[in-house]
Amino acid sequence: MRPSAPDRILRWVARLLVRGPEAPYVLGDLDEEFGRDRAAGFSPWRSRSRYLRNVVGSALVLAMDRLGAMTRRIPVSLLDVKLAFRMLIKHPGLTAVSIFALTLGIPVSLYPVHVLSLFDAPMPFDEGDRIVGLRHSYRDEMDEAPGTIHEYTVWRESLDGVSEIGAARSGRFNVASGDGRVVPTQGAFMSASSFDLLRVPPLLGRSLQPADEIEGAPDVVVLGFELWRSLFEGDPEVVGRMLRVGGEPYTVVGVMPRDFRFPAADHLWLPFRDDVSMWPVGEGPRLLVYGRLADGVSRGRLLAEMRALDGVLSQEYPDVYERLRAEVVSYPYLQQGNPLEAKWILLPFQALALVLLAVACGNVGTLVLARMATRQNEVTVRTALGASRARIVSQVFVESLLLALVATGLGLLLAEGAARAFTRSTVGWGDIPFWMDFGLRRSTVLLGLGLAVFCAVFAGIPPALKATGPGIQQNLQRSAGGTAVRFGWPTTALIVAEVTLGVVCLFAAAMSWQFVPPPAGTAVGVPMDRLLSARIVADATIDPGNPRAVEGDELRRRVAALQGELVRRVEAEAGVRGVAVADILPGQEHPAWRVEVEGVPLPERSSEALTMSARVGVGYFEALGRPVLEGRGFSSSDVLDDGAGASDVVIVNTAFVARMLGGRDPIGQRIRRLSWQGEPGPWLRIVGVVGSLGMVRASMEDDAGMYRPLAPGELHPIRIAVHLAESPAAFTSRLRAVVAEIDPTVLVENPVPLNEAVSLDRTLMRWGILGIGAVAGVALVLSIAGLYALMSFTVSQRTREIGVRTALGADVRAIMTVIVRRALVQLAVGIAIATVGSVVVLAVVAPTAPREWLGQLVGSAAIVFVIGLGACVVPTLRGLRIRPVEALKS
Amino acid sequence: MESLGSFEQLLLFSVLRLNDEAYGVTIRETLETRTGRSVSSGAIYTALGRLEDRGLVSSRIGEPTPGRAGRPPKYYRVEPEGARALLGAYSDIQSVAGGVVGDLERLAEGS
């Protein structure tokens, strides 16, 4: 019987990939093995799988072997390095452009891999690579399950694969020292075993001990270094002193060293007294559980042990453990979720970054080729004197490698600086986890060097091979002494692609820039640096990031009482002109709603019916120094007693009156909100009009908006703006003290002058726009450099022709037109593709986008055209300055 | 005497074991069966090619068969120089490892 053969497609793939002198034997073996596998009873899929694995493995090995053989034949000497330096200095413009492109391209390519590597880097502790996270995930989903006290207890008692195991639960607390200062701090209830696991001895005193975890034991706390410095001025006698954490007294027993912030960004540690008997299996506060691998135990072995234990637990507690599956993960993933998710999120960025780098390399290759075009005589002479093709190629490779290494060095320095700047700029958002050190690491530097070699190979060898190709002699004879190097369609396509990318990125940056709010000015009638903004959080475990509706009557009553007392006490303080309460403050991006005015048809464009909205407390406008212009402000009668806030009154601003009411008298008019599906809300009656109070970040004026009353207790966390006569920063500690007097468990989050709060919101946006701007800059420079190189080459190639034409009296403009025609066509094609493509994309994705964006697109295209035109014209004019006699001699 | 890497030693032993039937498919099968290691055909031919350059093995082209789409196999055999190199490597291991294999086994069991 004829043996089975692989599918035709498999054999085609194998023939495509497996190359080299041994390829016939390998391909024959592949077919024979496939037949044997099928005869042995392997399924077709298994046989195909084995076949493909062998194909890929063989292809890689054979390719690497050929590459090694090639590089062994390429001779490189110190002389090459010296010559490379000289060549780079001789063409400073091309050198600078190439270095610039690679300096930006290389760190951008490194960044996603670098960020991802942070998650897998060993922890900064003794044998930190053996500290792992232990958790369960749901079998049917990719999500991780929250850690519970039950699984921690079971693992602690049963697992042999870990030498130590610990658990922690983080929270935010108000920490008050004896002198009345209160600081919100992130801390953790952490098991004493964690300190043994981490092997970090305390700086002062002791760490937590198992005896501290016994119910009824004295309440002790271990401080972080930064907290010790800020609350106790680094007092070496701090052990034994008292402080209050969340209103409860604790005795300081130790201080940890600088930079110790385990489990994430924590600055104090309290005894872990969670009791497994207090919670049903599978329930309880969310814990982080982690362990140190025992000697000789691998992650795989620990995982096997945990999964075996899961089998037992599933029998005992099927409702909880049958749907769970144990995992052993790198510690950062314990905090940050799914490793696969992080990889998938960064994958598109990495792909984009590599595309950009490939474009940069391609363009550098074009520049190298252009440079080679001017060295054709040198190549000819060297070849005549016996230099092999490999010798010449190796020298070009060394030049490219030198370029790439310089660019890599600069790029890594740039990345280090950007990382430090980014870390500093995020300080206002709260600490980032301790393992997130964005600075350079050895693996990043090594990867950068690898990329440099890749760039040198990609950018240096193909153009050198092209310039020293087998047909070079014939071409030299045909061109009668001129250059034989030709730019083909790949170069054309590259330049068109770069021009397109440059226009698109410039347009994207211009579009994004309008979302960055201008410097916070006086839109509210008082300087925003006189308003101290803060979030008041009544429950220490709630994320204070966003206000949300209060849940539960008890919490609502507590928040209402807190708000009332807070406003009363703060307004009584010296220097306070008012306290404004709202769900969102001036200068921040307000939510937008479609609004209908009674008796007025809706505008054709939905965007024209959009109205900004905010919920504000009684006395809001007066507190900000912008009392109502017409009608009245909100009063307590506008808010129902039960705090449900279902009031039917609204205050609008002057921009609303102008746009939505056409300037008619607004008082008494009725408006209502429309959902995005068009369903109407209840009618609201306009009772007052105010001026513009900065409801849109990008534009402080012309923002049609409305305000609805906010009842105390209706929203939590509470956002306040304290209007002060003096600098707000000085009032911060007083505000914390007042809040602590009312309720020591209440947190005051992020108290900053309002203009700085707005600045913080812009930071991330600014970084994003900088990124887009950098990509736009790189793409633009690459395209312009490519055009410039093309034109330089064209001019040098046609110097004799220019001389002849000039000598014969041809018009300068006519000569220029002939020379720049090709480059102009490439420029025009690239701009046309970018413009048409952007219009089509916008029409599909954002059909209601304001027409101003078209103007930005045209502007971007115009900028690129003008710069590109300059890149074409400058070398041409240089060529025209050559005297005809010299041109004819060349 | 020529020095040999561990993979080269495995290859030479496999070629020896297979006598006149040592070519890519059989060598690969032998390695998989006896060591549990899955090695690509490309790696086998690359390494044998280097050994041949050093004169440690020699090759001959066999007859093409239908199961190989008409492509001939390439058979290898160990040359005396290769045998001497392999013997030297094997003797070195025996010399260093002699008497401690029992300890090795006990250590492996204990982890």
Side-chain angles (χ1 to χ4, degrees), chain A residues 328-348:
Chain A
V328 175
V329 296
S330 296
Y331 179 78
Y333 287 115
L334 201 63
Q335 305 261 5
Q336 303 292 330
N338 193 325
L340 211 56
E341 221 171 77
K343 288 181 169 75
W344 278 113
I345 286 170
L346 284 171
L347 201 62

Side-chain angles (χ1 to χ4, degrees), chain A residues 2-4 11 15 22-33 35-36 50 53-54 57-59 61-62 65 72 296 301, chain B residues 23-26 28-29 32 38-46 49-50 52 61 65-69 71-74 76 111:
Chain A
R2 189 183 175 84
S4 301
R11 295 166 92 182
R15 282 200 304 275
E22 305 291 350
Y25 310 110
V26 173
L27 291 171
D29 283 3
L30 287 167
D31 284 359
E32 185 179 334
E33 279 186 1
R36 284 191 181 204
R50 281 165 57 86
R53 278 205 305 271
N54 198 0
S58 299
V61 171
L62 291 173
D65 191 53
R72 279 193 294 275
R301 193 166 137 188
Chain B
Y23 66 107
V25 173
T26 52
R28 192 161 176 252
E29 189 178 34
E32 270 191 20
S38 178
V39 181
S40 69
S41 305
I44 291 173
Y45 281 104
T46 303
R50 286 202 208 107
E52 191 173 11
I61 309 301
T65 58
R68 298 174 61 88
R71 296 186 182 95
K74 193 174 190 181
Y76 285 90
S111 67

Side-chain angles (χ1 to χ4, degrees), chain A residues 612-870:
Chain A
M612 304 300 141
S613 173
R615 306 284 303 279
V616 301
V618 173
Y620 174 83
F621 303 106
E622 291 74 18
L624 292 181
R626 293 293 294 269
V628 293
L629 302 173
E630 280 183 62
R632 64 173 181 84
F634 295 131
S635 63
S636 4
S637 61
D638 292 323
V639 182
L640 296 178
D641 287 342
D642 64 2
S647 171
D648 67 346
V649 297
V650 66
I651 293 175
V652 297
N653 63 11
T654 46
F656 182 95
V657 173
R659 170 144 63 86
M660 302 294 287
L661 298 175
R664 296 198 309 272
D665 182 12
I667 305 301
Q669 300 267 3
R670 298 207 305 171
I671 65 175
R672 62 182 178 181
R673 242 165 54 176
L674 299 173
S675 72
W676 294 109
Q677 292 80 21
E679 290 164 10
W683 286 109
L684 307 171
R685 184 169 43 89
I686 298 176
V687 297
V689 179
V690 292
S692 175
L693 291 179
M695 301 181 93
V696 175
R697 271 189 301 195
S699 161
M700 291 292 192
E701 303 295 334
D702 301 324
D703 46 359
M706 64 182 197
Y707 297 89
R708 296 185 59 209
L710 176 68
E714 194 176 348
L715 280 177
H716 177 256
I718 308 164
R719 278 211 174 115
I720 63 169
V722 182
H723 186 180
L724 294 153
E726 301 293 333
S727 162
F731 191 75
T732 303
S733 56
R734 188 63 203 132
L735 176 65
R736 290 194 193 281
V738 167
V739 170
E741 284 166 14
I742 299 172
D743 185 343
T745 65
V746 172
L747 293 174
V748 178
E749 288 289 337
N750 205 24
V752 292
L754 189 58
N755 58 336
E756 285 182 28
V758 171
S759 296
L760 282 174
D761 289 343
R762 296 204 318 256
T763 298
L764 187 61
M765 196 170 287
R766 189 180 293 129
W767 279 102
I769 292 170
L770 273 177
I772 297 173
V775 171
V778 169
L780 258 180
V781 167
L782 293 182
S783 58
I784 300 313
L787 279 171
Y788 186 89
L790 175 67
M791 287 315 304
S792 297
F793 158 71
T794 306
V795 166
S796 69
Q797 188 185 24
R798 302 171 77 165
T799 304
R800 184 184 287 255
E801 175 195 343
I802 294 171
V804 168
R805 285 175 181 260
T806 309
L808 292 175
D811 183 40
V812 166
R813 275 176 299 185
I815 299 174
M816 276 188 65
T817 305
V818 166
I819 292 173
V820 303
R821 184 183 304 145
R822 181 182 175 189
L824 281 181
V825 166
Q826 290 170 344
L827 191 59
V829 168
I831 290 174
I833 293 173
T835 309
V836 171
S838 299
V839 168
V840 167
V841 167
L842 272 180
V844 169
V845 169
T848 59
R851 294 198 176 89
E852 292 80 20
W853 290 3
L854 268 180
Q856 287 167 351
L857 176 61
V858 170
S860 303
I863 289 172
V864 171
F865 180 77
V866 166
I867 297 176
L869 193 64

